[in-house]
Amino acid sequence: MSCPPTRRTILRGLALAATASAVPLPALASPLPGRASSPSPDPAGYVPPLRQMRGMWIASVLNINWPSKPGLTADEQKAEYLAWLDLAQARRLNSVFVQIRPTADAFWPSPYEPWSQYLTGTQGQDPGYDPLAFLVEQTHRRGLAFHAWFNPYRVSMQGDPARLHPDHPGRRHPDWIVAYGGRLYYNPGMPEVRAFVQDAMMDAVTRYDIDGLHFDDYFYPVNTPAFDDSAAFTRYGQGFPDLAAWRRNNVDLLVQEMQQRVRRAKPEVAWGISPSGIWRNRSTDPLGSDTDGGQSYDNLHADTRGWVKKGWLDYIAPQLYWYIGQSNADYAKLVPWWSDVAAGTGVQLWIGQAAYKAGAAGQPAPWFQPDELTRHLTLNRDHPVVGGDIWYNSGDLRADRIGSISTVVADHYTRPALPPLLPRLADGPAPRRPVLTSAHMTDGGVELSIVATGRTLPFQFAIFRLDRKARSGDFADARHLAAVVPAGRHVRWVDPQGARGAYYYVTAVDRVSRQSPPGGGRRVIV
């Protein structure tokens, strides 16, 4: 029995979900990030994480999420994106993963590939502004992390090279292109192709202030000679036992080389991949998971377990798009399997969650239980290697069918959380501690006045509220974290939950989530 499809085979159906961008956002009972909340009690003995990935994917291919359709004006596109940031804040997320190179094209003025057709409706047509510059600036203005989502090898969602822009690299180098399944792909087996796609993606990394470089699960589309790379295999495949081993090595080279290039160019940029959720089944390989589904190692030539064990990634976010108890791919079995793979490697583990299945027509009965997704995150608590979740996709977080997303937020996201801190960056220089110049009662609550110090502004301020003077360890404990707010030279913030007698402390947080020591605390007297 095969597993349900991942993002690779649901794109066309999800294109219909693009209309969800017009659906009003369901109201939440509790306030947005940047406001203090009154969290529900945590389970006995549970200490909520100070840092946790809370992300969502914003898909541009086929105009699934953003822009909602091609040909919108620049102002309309900007307004739509700001609405997605509103959603991220309403759902208490701290990161967005935005698809900026969906089909060998670009959402920025790239010297390598043409403007994306998903912006204007015509490949190569200038949209009249720099979308990526706008996306990054506005995301950071909200205090959210921006991860640039790239597809390395997909060239077109249709199969005719003549329909590509005349200056498209695939037109200038027709030998780079492989047609398969009604779509076009760059040939991963050609060294010049691998170098080119890296150059195209690194252009965005070096020119823009992004926080992460992100791949999804597209590498080779299929394990079959019908994907005709035979000429490249004849030329470059000597020394490999078979076609599959050569293809797998080609993908390995892409992953390893991307890590090296990102580390050289911008070592503080996070580099990671969200692969399909099954590496290999145990029936195929004793190291595999207790599953019976599509195997990325064999079907897509993606050795996802190997990348983690070799330390070629900063994080891996497997798409665990199955319900708890599913016979062929049980979420409750895959989380501990991936936790064991990542443990001790220094590679962060974030889980790709199937928001698109909750309450969706045609799904099995468990996906119509409003608590299915919240149970996923409750299960994750038993596996501390899991550092958070990314939701596919943003349209489904907005639609909130059967209230499943509101339930997750109410159960797990009542407290704010800083983005994860990569272990390799933890020893870097922390930001300068801020100064809390005042804390006093107002009609709306306790108003704080915070001043940044040093030449470089921090990215965020983490505000801690205690009922006593702080002790060692309090600033690593999210139970004391009242809010995370975008930083500035001088920030005023009101805590509606504040009261006389409370103690406040503030730390500065930089873009990679390093935290300063707290400035001097203040007790609310008047």
Side-chain angles (χ1 to χ4, degrees):
M1 181 177 180
S2 61
C3 283
T6 63
R7 290 203 300 266
R8 298 170 54 84
T9 53
I10 60 176
L11 285 175
R12 292 197 180 277
L14 283 175
L16 299 175
T19 56
S21 62
V23 177
L25 176 65
L28 291 174
S30 41
L32 303 181
R35 300 289 304 273
S37 60
S38 180
S40 56
D42 295 306
Y46 174 70
V47 178
L50 181 70
R51 294 182 175 86
Q52 183 181 49
M53 170 50 65
R54 297 178 184 175
M56 70 179 184
W57 279 290
I58 301 177
S60 63
V61 67
L62 300 176
N63 297 104
I64 290 173
N65 296 136
W66 182 84
S68 63
K69 61 183 178 181
L72 297 176
T73 67
D75 286 344
E76 289 170 333
Q77 291 181 7
K78 291 177 180 180
E80 281 195 351
Y81 186 71
L82 294 179
W84 288 122
L85 296 182
D86 290 343
L87 174 72
Q89 291 186 288
R91 299 303 188 209
R92 299 199 185 89
L93 308 183
N94 54 33
S95 306
V96 294
F97 293 73
V98 185
Q99 192 174 33
I100 62 166
R101 184 182 177 271
T103 54
D105 51 12
F107 275 58
W108 74 98
S110 168
Y112 295 94
E113 293 171 317
W115 285 107
S116 176
Q117 71 187 64
Y118 301 117
L119 291 166
T120 64
T122 302
Q123 191 172 70
Q125 182 175 327
D126 190 329
Y129 74 115
D130 184 339
L132 183 52
F134 175 81
L135 301 176
V136 172
E137 177 188 11
Q138 295 299 318
T139 303
H140 287 164
R141 183 173 292 180
R142 305 291 188 99
L144 301 170
F146 184 91
H147 293 257
W149 169 13
F150 301 84
N151 191 286
Y153 289 128
R154 186 172 60 205
V155 171
S156 179
M157 298 297 285
Q158 57 82 38
D160 183 3
R163 291 175 58 186
L164 300 174
H165 188 273
D167 291 331
H168 193 286
R171 294 283 294 274
R172 290 185 278 111
H173 303 279
D175 57 315
W176 288 8
I177 299 297
V178 178
Y180 176 80
R183 299 179 183 180
L184 301 176
Y185 300 87
Y186 283 136
N187 188 340
M190 301 178 69
E192 58 268 42
V193 168
R194 191 172 67 249
F196 173 82
V197 299
Q198 291 177 26
D199 290 343
M201 293 183 284
M202 287 302 299
D203 180 64
V205 174
T206 56
R207 290 171 54 196
Y208 296 86
D209 202 17
I210 66 174
D211 300 297
L213 187 157
H214 178 78
F215 284 0
D216 55 23
D217 56 329
Y218 280 80
F219 297 101
Y220 281 87
V222 69
N223 179 12
T224 174
F227 182 87
D228 188 6
D229 54 356
S230 57
F233 180 53
T234 299
R235 184 174 180 181
Y236 300 110
Q238 296 87 353
F240 292 91
D242 52 36
L243 178 66
W246 172 72
R247 287 177 172 176
R248 198 153 38 244
N249 183 69
N250 294 332
V251 179
D252 280 354
L253 288 171
L254 173 72
V255 173
Q256 185 179 26
E257 290 166 2
M258 284 306 305
Q259 180 196 55
Q260 294 167 352
R261 294 190 64 167
V262 172
R263 295 275 178 95
R264 285 196 302 265
K266 282 191 175 178
E268 293 196 346
V269 167
W271 152 236
I273 296 176
S274 175
S276 54
I278 296 174
W279 171 69
R280 301 190 94 184
N281 300 311
R282 187 178 298 170
S283 58
T284 302
D285 189 315
L287 296 176
S289 51
D290 183 13
T291 50
D292 180 20
Q295 305 173 115
S296 64
Y297 182 94
D298 302 272
N299 297 352
L300 310 178
H301 309 293
D303 184 9
T304 54
R305 179 184 182 276
W307 303 338
V308 175
K309 292 298 187 182
K310 294 169 185 175
W312 289 350
L313 304 170
D314 287 321
Y315 68 85
I316 194 161
Q319 298 172 30
L320 302 191
Y321 293 169
W322 302 289
Y323 58 82
I324 293 175
Q326 185 161 328
S327 61
N328 59 333
D330 186 347
Y331 183 91
K333 294 180 178 179
L334 281 160
V335 166
W337 186 88
W338 278 104
S339 295
D340 181 65
V341 169
T345 64
V347 177
Q348 301 277 287
L349 174 62
W350 309 333
I351 304 300
Q353 297 286 354
Y356 75 95
K357 288 188 173 181
Q363 294 296 334
W367 288 111
F368 288 86
Q369 298 298 321
D371 67 344
E372 176 63 32
L373 287 172
T374 196
R375 291 171 61 221
H376 289 200
L377 272 64
T378 300
L379 186 150
N380 291 355
R381 289 176 173 176
D382 294 331
H383 302 278
V385 174
V386 177
D389 304 88
I390 314 174
W391 298 89
Y392 191 77
N393 64 48
S394 55
D396 302 289
L397 265 65
R398 172 175 281 163
D400 193 22
R401 294 177 298 271
I402 66 174
S404 60
I405 303 303
S406 295
T407 301
V408 167
V409 174
D411 290 350
H412 299 280
Y413 291 172
T414 55
R415 301 180 185 276
L418 299 173
L421 172 61
L422 300 179
R424 65 179 177 84
L425 300 176
D427 294 332
R432 295 282 299 273
R433 71 179 70 201
V435 175
L436 178 57
T437 60
S438 67
H440 62 274
M441 291 299 303
T442 68
D443 291 341
V446 174
E447 180 178 294
L448 307 183
S449 180
I450 309 164
V451 176
T453 61
R455 290 184 178 180
T456 303
L457 281 177
F459 183 50
Q460 300 165 321
F461 291 133
I463 300 170
F464 293 82
R465 180 183 64 233
L466 294 91
D467 57 6
R468 52 167 172 75
K469 288 186 176 180
R471 297 192 288 257
S472 176
D474 283 341
F475 305 107
D477 189 337
R479 289 174 295 186
H480 306 306
L481 186 62
V484 178
V485 301
R489 184 59 61 191
H490 187 183
V491 171
R492 293 185 182 275
W493 179 78
V494 175
D495 180 3
Q497 305 298 326
R500 287 183 176 85
Y503 291 82
Y504 285 89
Y505 300 83
V506 181
T507 65
V509 182
D510 68 11
R511 284 267 303 286
V512 301
S513 205
R514 288 183 292 241
Q515 190 178 13
S516 77
R522 288 188 174 270
R523 189 183 187 195
V524 182
I525 304 300
V526 294

